[in-house]
């Protein structure tokens, strides 16, 4: 009997403790009734208009300003209870999956108010602007291009969220809800005769639609990218691929550069007659390391802007330029081919000129501002096997110092050779 009574008392005490804990969690500041939100509105009168908007943030609608704000004092602006990068995640815990393949930059940085009004809005999800208009306020360049497209893609015009998720994608790049062709086939019926005939009976419903079509629209019929490989524009798929009825219809007739050589004979021969060949050209993938075989938004059918293509292998070089105080203009403009031949060259580092002095001189008229002796007859005092040229003092891809010199000051650079002036 005593044991039963003791257990009953313990359970009662535990229940009271749980209830007290829950009450404290629900009202951590021990506020009087109405003080969590209703009382706030007596001073913050402008919120009377906010409360009339169509979509209200749940804490505000429930009169719980203290869900986000500390009513007394805070280490963060606007008396927020947490840093802005964390406060939204205190409730919205599942916005970014742990293994997300892609995440919206604003979400990753906790800048939720870039897209959402934290209190209320006339747009769904308290968005500060409706639909694609909001997306284009950041993705301005893309928005301008889409607005000028001769052949628009209707989902893009209507709402970017048709294809993209706004916060993060667990399994797909670029915030896509799913990847092509699965995503495209949600709207496009691959079983139609016109669909089959347009694609020369190849089973493109099993392929990546965006290898030919620009999902954001273009100025080329059928929303092909603006630069189209001639065999594709003439529907001459069999010039590169086996028959559409083959067991593996997307197989190419030859591998690597040998396939391209059939049309680009002179270019390929000239490339392989040089002393130094860009190695991606010689592997099994060949030209496709850098070029799209079907269509591209970039000139010369580049897979992406030149800087992005080059950085896929030469990431250290691009990172060096990003850290450089002084930017080398060709790299900043994404024009690596200003100095390097992308296919082959007889010069070291695939340079387009034999002499560094002549190459640099194409942009820098050094003779008008420098009298320092350089050239084949000027021996580098640091190494008698070398002569002085532009690279003796400057690093073409940049340094952490001005004018991409190798040392912090010009004096520090000069005394490497002129040792008599060292202090």
């Amino acid at each position: 009997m005593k044991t039963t009574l003791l257990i009953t008392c313990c359970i009662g005490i535990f229940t009271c403790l749980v209830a007290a804990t829950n009450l404290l969690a629900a009202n951590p500041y021990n506020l009087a009734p109405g003080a969590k939100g209703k009382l706030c509105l007596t001073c913050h009168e402008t919120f009377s208009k906010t409360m009339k908007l169509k979509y209200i943030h749940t804490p505000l609608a429930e009169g719980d300003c203290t869900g986000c704000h500390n009513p007394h004092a805070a280490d963060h602006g606007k008396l927020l209870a947490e840093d802005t990068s964390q406060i939204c995640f205190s409730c919205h815990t599942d916005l970014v999956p742990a293994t997300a393949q892609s995440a919206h930059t604003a979400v990753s940085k906790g800048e939720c108010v870039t897209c959402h009004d934290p209190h209320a809005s006339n747009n769904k999800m308290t968005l500060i602007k409706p639909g694609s208009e909001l997306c284009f306020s950041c993705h301005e360049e893309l928005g301008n291009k889409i607005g000028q497209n001769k052949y628009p893609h209707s989902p893009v015009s209507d709402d970017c969220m048709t294809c993209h998720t706004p916060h993060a994608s667990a399994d797909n790049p670029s915030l896509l809800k799913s990847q092509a062709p699965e995503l495209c086939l949600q709207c496009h019926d691959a079983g139609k005769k016109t669909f089959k005939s347009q694609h020369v009976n190849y089973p493109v419903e099993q392929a990546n639609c965006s290898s030919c079509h620009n999902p954001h629209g273009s100025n080329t019929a059928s929303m092909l990218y603006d630069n189209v490989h001639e065999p594709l524009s003439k529907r001459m798929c069999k010039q590169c691929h086996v028959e559409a009825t083959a067991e593996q219809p997307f197989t190419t007739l030859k591998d690597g550069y040998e396939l391209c050589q059939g049309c680009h004979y002179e270019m390929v021969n000239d490339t392989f007659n040089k002393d130094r060949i860009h190695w991606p050209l010689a592997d099994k993938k060949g030209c496709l390391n850098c070029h799209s075989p079907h269509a591209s938004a970039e000139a010369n059918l580049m897979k992406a802007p030149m800087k992005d293509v080059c950085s896929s292998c030469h990431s250290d070089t691009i990172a060096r330029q990003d850290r450089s105080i002084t930017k080398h203009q060709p790299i900043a403009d994404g024009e690596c081919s200003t100095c390097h031949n992308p296919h082959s060259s007889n010069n070291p580092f695939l340079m387009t000129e034999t002499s560094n002095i002549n190459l640099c001189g194409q942009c820098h008229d050094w003779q008008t501002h420098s009298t320092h002796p350089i050239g084949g007859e000027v021996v580098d005092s640091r190494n008698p096997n070398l002569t002085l040229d532009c690279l003796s003092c400057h690093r073409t891809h940049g340094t952490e110092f001005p004018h991409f010199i190798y040392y912090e000051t010009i004096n520090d650079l000069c005394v490497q050779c002129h040792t008599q002036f060292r202090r």
Side-chain angles (χ1 to χ4, degrees):
M1 182 68 178
K2 291 182 179 180
T3 302
T4 302
L5 182 61
L6 180 61
I7 292 173
T8 302
C9 290
C10 289
I11 292 175
I13 293 172
F14 178 75
T15 302
C16 291
L17 287 173
V18 169
T21 301
N22 291 337
L23 183 62
L24 184 62
N27 188 11
Y29 305 109
N30 197 26
L31 295 172
K36 292 172 64 177
K38 186 177 181 180
L39 181 62
C40 304
L41 299 179
T42 60
C43 289
H44 299 279
E45 296 176 355
T46 56
F47 272 85
S48 60
K49 294 181 179 179
T50 302
M51 299 296 289
K52 295 177 182 179
L53 296 177
K54 191 172 182 179
Y55 300 96
I56 304 175
H57 195 194
T58 301
L60 181 61
E62 294 178 350
D64 185 12
C65 302
T66 59
C68 300
H69 301 276
N70 187 312
H72 303 129
D75 293 328
H76 313 290
K78 302 183 185 299
L79 290 177
L80 288 171
E82 297 285 349
D83 185 82
T84 52
S85 63
Q86 296 297 323
I87 194 164
C88 299
F89 293 117
S90 62
C91 290
H92 305 282
T93 56
D94 57 349
L95 284 181
V96 181
T99 58
Q101 290 297 306
S102 57
H104 201 180
T105 302
V107 178
S108 300
K109 292 181 177 180
E111 298 173 350
C112 307
V113 292
T114 302
C115 300
H116 300 275
D117 188 297
H119 299 119
S121 168
N122 280 324
N123 304 307
K124 288 183 179 180
M125 307 298 178
T126 68
L127 292 172
I128 58 177
K129 293 180 181 179
S132 298
E133 181 184 343
L134 174 61
C135 302
F136 296 149
S137 62
C138 285
H139 303 280
E140 187 175 358
E141 183 178 349
L142 178 60
N144 290 336
K145 188 176 186 310
I146 288 172
Q148 297 169 5
N149 281 335
K150 185 176 180 181
Y151 300 94
H153 195 190
S154 56
V156 180
S157 306
D158 297 338
D159 189 356
C160 302
M161 298 304 104
T162 304
C163 300
H164 298 277
T165 178
H167 300 125
S169 178
D171 305 310
N172 305 300
S174 304
L175 297 175
L176 289 170
K177 292 183 176 179
S178 57
Q179 294 191 56
E182 178 187 348
L183 180 63
C184 307
L185 293 176
Q186 292 176 11
C187 295
H188 299 278
D189 185 358
K192 288 184 177 181
K193 288 183 178 181
T194 52
F195 186 94
K196 293 290 185 183
S197 62
Q198 284 287 327
H199 296 95
V200 202
N201 293 318
Y202 277 85
V204 293
E205 66 274 11
Q206 302 171 20
N208 181 1
C209 310
S210 60
S211 68
C212 298
H213 302 280
N214 190 329
H216 294 125
S218 77
N219 291 310
T220 306
S222 302
M223 285 195 337
L224 293 171
Y225 288 101
D226 290 339
N227 297 292
V228 186
H229 200 190
E230 187 174 349
L232 177 66
S233 63
K234 294 182 177 180
R235 290 187 170 84
M236 298 166 58
C237 305
K238 290 190 287 185
Q239 186 167 323
C240 299
H241 296 278
V242 298
E243 293 284 345
T245 54
E247 185 176 349
Q248 295 182 332
F250 299 123
T251 303
T252 54
L253 298 174
K254 293 182 181 179
D255 293 328
Y257 72 88
E258 292 183 353
L259 178 65
C260 305
Q261 189 176 22
C263 293
H264 304 281
Y265 183 79
E266 291 185 5
M267 175 268 173
V268 172
N269 275 5
D270 182 62
T271 294
F272 281 90
N273 280 328
K274 299 287 177 61
D275 292 339
R276 295 172 172 84
I277 299 173
H278 197 192
W279 70 262
L281 191 63
D283 72 5
K284 289 183 178 181
K285 199 172 180 181
C287 308
L288 301 189
N289 282 301
C290 301
H291 299 278
S292 170
H294 299 132
S296 173
E298 305 296 327
N300 301 315
L301 293 176
M302 294 290 289
K303 291 170 64 175
M306 183 177 291
K307 186 177 179 180
D308 294 341
V309 172
C310 297
S311 67
S312 63
C313 292
H314 304 284
S315 57
D316 54 338
T317 298
I318 302 303
R320 164 63 65 184
Q321 172 73 181
D322 291 341
R323 295 196 303 271
S324 181
I325 292 178
T326 304
K327 307 301 182 185
H328 198 186
Q329 200 61 45
I331 306 175
D333 292 341
E335 296 293 341
C336 305
S337 60
T338 301
C339 301
H340 303 276
N341 190 310
H343 298 129
S344 66
S345 172
N346 287 323
N347 307 314
F349 304 111
L350 300 180
M351 303 297 280
T352 57
E353 291 282 345
T354 303
S355 165
N356 290 326
I357 298 172
N358 291 340
L359 178 59
C360 299
Q362 293 177 2
C363 296
H364 305 281
D365 191 3
W366 58 271
Q367 289 179 326
T368 65
H369 73 262
S370 173
T371 58
H372 196 286
I374 57 176
E377 70 284 353
V378 185
V379 177
D380 191 332
S381 62
R382 296 166 296 182
N383 186 340
N385 297 310
L386 301 176
T387 58
L388 289 178
D389 61 21
C390 307
L391 302 187
S392 301
C393 298
H394 302 279
R395 181 171 182 167
T396 52
H397 295 121
T399 69
E400 286 83 353
F401 311 118
H403 310 297
F404 34 91
I405 60 177
Y406 293 103
Y407 296 89
E408 186 173 3
T409 68
I410 293 178
N411 287 344
D412 291 335
L413 175 65
C414 295
V415 296
Q416 301 305 310
C417 293
H418 303 283
T419 56
Q420 69 273 26
F421 296 107
R422 287 182 180 175
R423 296 181 180 179

